[in-house]
C-alpha cells in the first residue's frame, strides 16, 4: 500500500473533524445536549488520532541505525495502537459517562437555539461523508477484489483501515446523535438524548476494540501475504533450486524480511553458490514491490531437514 494514499485520507479526515468539532461544541454550549457533547469529544478524539497517524508515518521514515538495524517501520503500528486506546478512553468511555450523568438528570432541549444541533449534525454528516468517500477511493486503489472486512483484517498499512473505521463510526454516531436529539425535541424528554449518547459510547468502544485487535497482530509481526509468499517462492526456485523452508516478516507496511534455506548441488563451489544467491535476491526484488531485507542460507537437500513452508 502506498503511504501517500493513506496520508491523503488522514489529512482529509483531520480537516473535516477539526471543523466539525468546533460546530459541535457551539451546539452543545447553547443547548446543553449530551449527545452533542459526546459527538464533540468524539471529533476531538478523532482529530488527535489523525495527528498521531501523521506523526507515526513521519517517524517511520527514519533511517535504520545501530540500535534499530531493521529501521523504524513499525512506528506506524505503534501509533495506530495508541489511536485505538484514545478512541476507547477519550471517545467511548467519556460518552458512556456522559450518558450515565444525563440518565440521572434528564432534561429536554429548550430555548430559541433548539434548531442548532439539528443543523450542525446534518452539516457534519455531509462533511463526514466527503471524508469517508476519500478513504473509500484511496482504499479501492489497493483493495483489489478483497471484501471490505478482509481488507481491514489483512492490510499491512494501518492508516486506511483506521480512517475507514473511524469515518464509518463517525457517520453512524452522527445518525445516532441526530435520532437522540430529534426524539428529545419531539417528546421533550431528555432520556432520548442520554440514550443516543450511550449508543455513541458503545459504538466507539466496539470500534476501538476491533482496531486494537487488528493492530496488535501487526505489532506481533505478520508474514507477507499469500500472493507475495508465492512470488518469493517462485523466484527462489526459478533456476531449479529446491526450497527447504521460507519465513517472512513485515518490518513495516512496505518493508519485508525474507529468510530462506535453499538447496545447492553437492559439488557447487563457493563462487557458484554466491552467484546463485545474488541472482535469487535480484529475482525476489524484481518480483515483490516491497523493500526487502533478504537472507538466504544454502544447504545440501539430502542433508537438510525439510521444515514447513509458509502459506
Amino acid at each position: 500500500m502506498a503511504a501517500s494514499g493513506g496520508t491523503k485520507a488522514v489529512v482529509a479526515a483531520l480537516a473535516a473533524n477539526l471543523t466539525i468539532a468546533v460546530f459541535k461544541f457551539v451546539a452543545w454550549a447553547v443547548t446543553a445536549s449530551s449527545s452533542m457533547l459526546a459527538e464533540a469529544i468524539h471529533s476531538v478524539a478523532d482529530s488527535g488520532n489523525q495527528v498521531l497517524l501523521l506523526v507515526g508515518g513521519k517517524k517511520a521514515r527514519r533511517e535504520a541505525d545501530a540500535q534499530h538495524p531493521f529501521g523504524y517501520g513499525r512506528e506506524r503500528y505503534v501509533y495506530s495502537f495508541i489511536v485505538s486506546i484514545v478512541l476507547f478512553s477519550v471517545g467511548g468511555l467519556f460518552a458512556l459517562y456522559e450518558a450515565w450523568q444525563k440518565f440521572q438528570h434528564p432534561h429536554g432541549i429548550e430555548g430559541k437555539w433548539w434548531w442548532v444541533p439539528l443543523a450542525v449534525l446534518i452539516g457534519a454528516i455531509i462533511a463526514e461523508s466527503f471524508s469517508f468517500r476519500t478513504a473509500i477511493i484511496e482504499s479501492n486503489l489497493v483493495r483489489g477484489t478483497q471484501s471490505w472486512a478482509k481488507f481491514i483484517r489483512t492490510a499491512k498499512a494501518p492508516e486506511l483501515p483506521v480512517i475507514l473505521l473511524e469515518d464509518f463510526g463517525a457517520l453512524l454516531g452522527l445518525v445516532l446523535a441526530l435520532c437522540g436529539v430529534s426524539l428529545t425535541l419531539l417528546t421533550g424528554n431528555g432520556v432520548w438524548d442520554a440514550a443516543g449518547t450511550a449508543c455513541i459510547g458503545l459504538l466507539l468502544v466496539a470500534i476501538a476494540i476491533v482496531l486494537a485487535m487488528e493492530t496488535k497482530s501487526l505489532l506481533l509481526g505478520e508474514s507477507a501475504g499469500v500472493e507475495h509468499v508465492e512470488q518469493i517462492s517462485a523466484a527462489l526456485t526459478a533456476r531449479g533450486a529446491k526450497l527447504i523452508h521460507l519465513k517472512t516478516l513485515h518490518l513495516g507496511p512496505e518493508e519485508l524480511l525474507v529468510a530462506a534455506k535453499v538447496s545447492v548441488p553437492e559439488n557447487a563451489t563457493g563462487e557458484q553458490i554466491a552467484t546463485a544467491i545474488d541472482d535469487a535476491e535480484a529475482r525476489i526484488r524484481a518480483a515483490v514491490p516491497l523493500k526487502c531485507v533478504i537472507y538466504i542460507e544454502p544447504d545440501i537437500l539430502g542433508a537438510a531437514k525439510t521444515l514447513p513452508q509458509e502459506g
Side-chain angles (χ1 to χ4, degrees):
M1 176 185 295
S4 58
T7 300
K8 183 177 180 179
V10 172
V11 171
L14 176 60
N17 279 310
L18 286 175
T19 303
I20 292 169
V22 173
F23 286 105
K24 287 177 180 177
F25 274 119
V26 171
W28 166 70
V30 299
T31 63
S33 167
S34 63
S35 291
M36 293 308 305
L37 179 58
E39 274 298 306
I41 296 299
H42 179 188
S43 293
V44 170
D46 280 354
S47 299
N49 289 341
Q50 280 120 39
V51 171
L52 286 171
L53 291 176
L54 293 173
V55 171
K58 182 177 180 180
K59 286 182 173 293
R61 290 193 292 269
R62 289 180 292 174
E63 294 293 330
D65 52 35
Q67 189 174 7
H68 297 90
F70 291 110
Y72 292 84
R74 289 195 183 183
E75 288 269 16
R76 289 164 69 178
Y77 301 153
V78 173
Y79 278 83
S80 297
F81 188 77
I82 295 173
V83 163
S84 67
I85 297 173
V86 172
L87 194 63
F88 179 84
S89 56
V90 178
L93 294 186
F94 177 85
L96 291 174
Y97 170 79
E98 183 64 21
W100 174 255
Q101 293 295 315
K102 190 63 177 286
F103 275 124
Q104 301 300 308
H105 308 286
H107 59 80
I109 299 174
E110 302 173 349
K112 63 180 181 179
W113 301 111
W114 62 268
W115 55 271
V116 172
L118 297 178
V120 169
L121 288 170
I122 292 172
I125 288 173
I126 295 172
E128 284 288 359
S129 297
F130 280 107
S131 174
F132 193 36
R133 178 176 176 271
T134 300
I136 290 173
I137 290 173
E138 296 300 325
S139 298
N140 279 333
L141 296 176
V142 294
R143 183 170 65 95
T145 59
Q146 298 178 91
S147 66
W148 286 108
K150 185 176 180 181
F151 172 68
I152 290 172
R153 288 198 310 269
T154 61
K156 305 304 181 184
E159 290 83 4
L160 285 176
V162 168
I163 294 300
L164 282 169
L165 287 174
E166 279 193 347
D167 284 353
F168 175 75
L171 281 172
L172 194 53
L174 287 167
V175 171
L176 292 171
L178 185 60
C179 291
V181 169
S182 298
L183 288 170
T184 299
L185 288 170
L186 289 172
T187 64
N189 189 345
V191 170
W192 291 109
D193 193 22
T197 306
C199 289
I200 293 169
L202 292 173
L203 172 68
L204 295 181
V205 167
I207 291 176
I209 291 172
V210 172
L211 281 177
M213 292 174 63
E214 295 303 322
T215 310
K216 184 194 79 169
S217 179
L218 292 170
L219 281 171
L220 289 175
E222 290 188 355
S223 66
V226 174
E227 180 181 0
H228 287 161
V229 170
E230 291 175 350
Q231 291 170 340
I232 293 168
S233 298
L236 287 169
T237 58
R239 299 293 174 82
K242 301 295 184 181
L243 181 59
I244 299 169
H245 70 81
L246 170 66
K247 301 293 179 184
T248 61
L249 178 70
H250 267 275
L251 302 173
E254 288 93 27
E255 298 173 273
L256 193 62
L257 173 65
V258 178
K261 179 179 282 192
V262 296
S263 68
V264 296
E266 292 186 28
N267 58 351
T269 65
E271 182 179 354
Q272 290 172 330
I273 292 173
T275 300
I277 289 175
D278 290 341
D279 290 344
E281 290 180 354
R283 292 195 299 272
I284 291 172
R285 292 193 168 92
V288 179
L290 297 173
K291 181 180 179 182
C292 294
V293 179
I294 305 171
Y295 295 98
I296 300 176
E297 178 185 355
D299 205 342
I300 305 300
L301 184 60
K305 181 181 179 181
T306 302
L307 298 178
Q309 296 182 27
E310 292 187 8

